[in-house]
Amino acid sequence: MDEKGIEFPTSRTYSHPCMLITGNVQPDEYEKLAELVEKIDKDDFSKKYFIGISKYKDSYNLLTSEGNYRVEIGDLDNIDFKVKGFKTFVEKYLVYQDPQKYSMVSVKYQNQIVTTLNPYFKENDSLLKAGKLELAKAPTPTVIPKKRK
């Protein structure tokens, strides 16, 4: 689709550098997707990180150039806020981490970022195993009555 969200045929002889979009995208979503691609192209941070968009069921994901994680954005509403949230997460936290640590970073929820650990990242082994253990139960406090004189 072009920058106006209008579908056009592919060419066998020319490949323009563009964002790859996969999934079951409906024609009525083209315009909002075109707006998202335009916002990504205009922002240096987004342009560096996002290389594609995928749609699974009714949820959109941004595919990243670093790490094997995806950024779940959900619907196409409040895109500026969602991208700003991801940018803050990267600048304040992810720059100190190995990008392979996560399989997903979700910014689809209002005012929160949810991450999913990559089960194949070796350093996550102890964290994932600890999540499956039952926490030790604290002893129940006992009350000893005072003796009367």
Side-chain angles (χ1 to χ4, degrees), residues 21-25 53-56:
I21 301 173
T22 62
N24 187 20
V25 179
I53 302 169
S54 69
K55 181 182 179 190
Y56 179 72

Side-chain angles (χ1 to χ4, degrees), residues 68-119:
N68 290 325
Y69 62 91
R70 58 191 163 87
V71 179
E72 182 182 38
I73 59 172
D75 58 30
L76 297 173
D77 296 328
N78 301 318
I79 291 299
D80 291 330
F81 184 74
K82 293 172 183 179
V83 171
K84 184 178 179 183
F86 177 72
K87 183 177 181 179
T88 302
F89 176 74
V90 168
E91 291 173 342
K92 303 285 184 192
Y93 184 74
L94 198 60
V95 293
Y96 305 108
Q97 303 290 316
D98 186 325
Q100 303 297 325
K101 183 176 182 174
Y102 301 102
S103 61
M104 183 181 67
V105 176
S106 179
V107 293
K108 78 177 190 176
Y109 304 105
Q110 189 72 20
N111 294 325
Q112 62 180 320
I113 296 172
V114 179
T115 60
T116 303
L117 292 175
N118 179 355

Side-chain angles (χ1 to χ4, degrees), residues 1-8 21 25 29-35 37:
M1 65 182 187
D2 64 13
E3 65 275 352
K4 295 177 185 169
I6 299 172
E7 191 173 356
F8 63 91
I21 301 173
V25 179
E29 298 170 301
Y30 289 173
E31 191 173 333
K32 277 195 168 187
L33 272 173
E35 289 173 20
V37 171

